Amino acid sequence: YHFWSNKTTGVEQANHYINNVKLEEGDLPPVLDVEHKPKTQTTQEFKKNVMSWLNIVENEYHVKPIIYTYYKFKSEYLSDSIFDTYPYWIAHYYVDSIEYKGKWKFWQHTDCGRLPGIKGFVDFNVYNGSFYDLQQLTISDAMGY
């Protein structure tokens, strides 16, 4: 899981991620949490920067990273068809159904869930698919991790 920073380039962030994250069989693919565009970049520059991270990380791990963002940010900044080739984890809180109309794998629908044995609030998510589909999304031993 990587939270996007507007203080360094996508290349620098991807290299840092690769140097610090070792994937194992059963892990989810790398997740890029991108929720803010720098004011100092145009939308096109920002998209290119995000694509740099995605491409570098995908080439390293041989699996498409998951993009985590909220649905309005996705619509405004990541609506190009190239981004639609990546699995999406959409954050859209406090609604009965997801408003995002595109393909998605995960929907984070609240940040104030409660579970026995955990103090404080936790995020609740829904997976859009079968258990088999979820297993297919995870890192397999065939990838050498």
Side-chain angles (χ1 to χ4, degrees):
Y1 183 92
H2 176 76
F3 187 79
W4 182 262
S5 170
N6 288 331
K7 296 179 180 178
T8 59
T9 69
V11 171
E12 292 170 309
Q13 292 180 62
N15 289 332
H16 178 78
Y17 185 87
I18 290 165
N19 289 331
N20 289 283
V21 175
K22 305 302 175 215
L23 297 178
E24 297 179 5
E25 183 178 0
D27 288 344
L28 284 175
V31 177
L32 176 61
D33 180 341
V34 57
E35 302 180 38
H36 303 283
K37 182 188 93 51
K39 293 180 172 116
T40 58
Q41 288 181 359
T42 67
T43 299
Q44 283 310 110
E45 290 170 329
F46 173 68
K47 289 177 184 181
K48 185 177 177 184
N49 214 6
V50 170
M51 279 307 305
S52 292
W53 190 96
L54 292 169
N55 287 328
I56 292 167
V57 170
E58 183 175 352
N59 287 336
E60 174 68 21
Y61 296 106
H62 311 289
V63 62
K64 282 199 171 291
I66 297 169
I67 300 172
Y68 171 95
T69 194
Y70 57 97
Y71 92 102
K72 288 183 181 179
F73 190 87
K74 167 28 175 146
S75 299
E76 187 168 350
Y77 297 112
L78 304 174
S79 61
D80 298 38
S81 60
I82 188 67
F83 293 108
D84 291 338
T85 65
Y86 291 86
Y88 264 94
W89 193 330
I90 298 294
H92 191 193
Y93 295 165
Y94 319 123
V95 293
D96 292 331
S97 63
I98 191 167
E99 290 181 28
Y100 176 66
K101 301 301 180 205
K103 291 172 131 182
W104 56 275
K105 291 290 184 185
F106 298 92
W107 168 30
Q108 189 171 89
H109 57 90
T110 186
D111 60 352
C112 60
R114 292 288 205 176
L115 288 174
I118 298 176
K119 292 181 181 179
F121 296 113
V122 296
D123 298 337
F124 279 178
N125 298 275
V126 172
Y127 179 72
N128 187 21
S130 69
F131 182 66
Y132 176 79
D133 294 333
L134 179 60
Q135 287 178 310
Q136 295 304 113
L137 185 63
T138 63
I139 301 299
S140 72
D141 191 35
M143 292 179 185
Y145 295 108

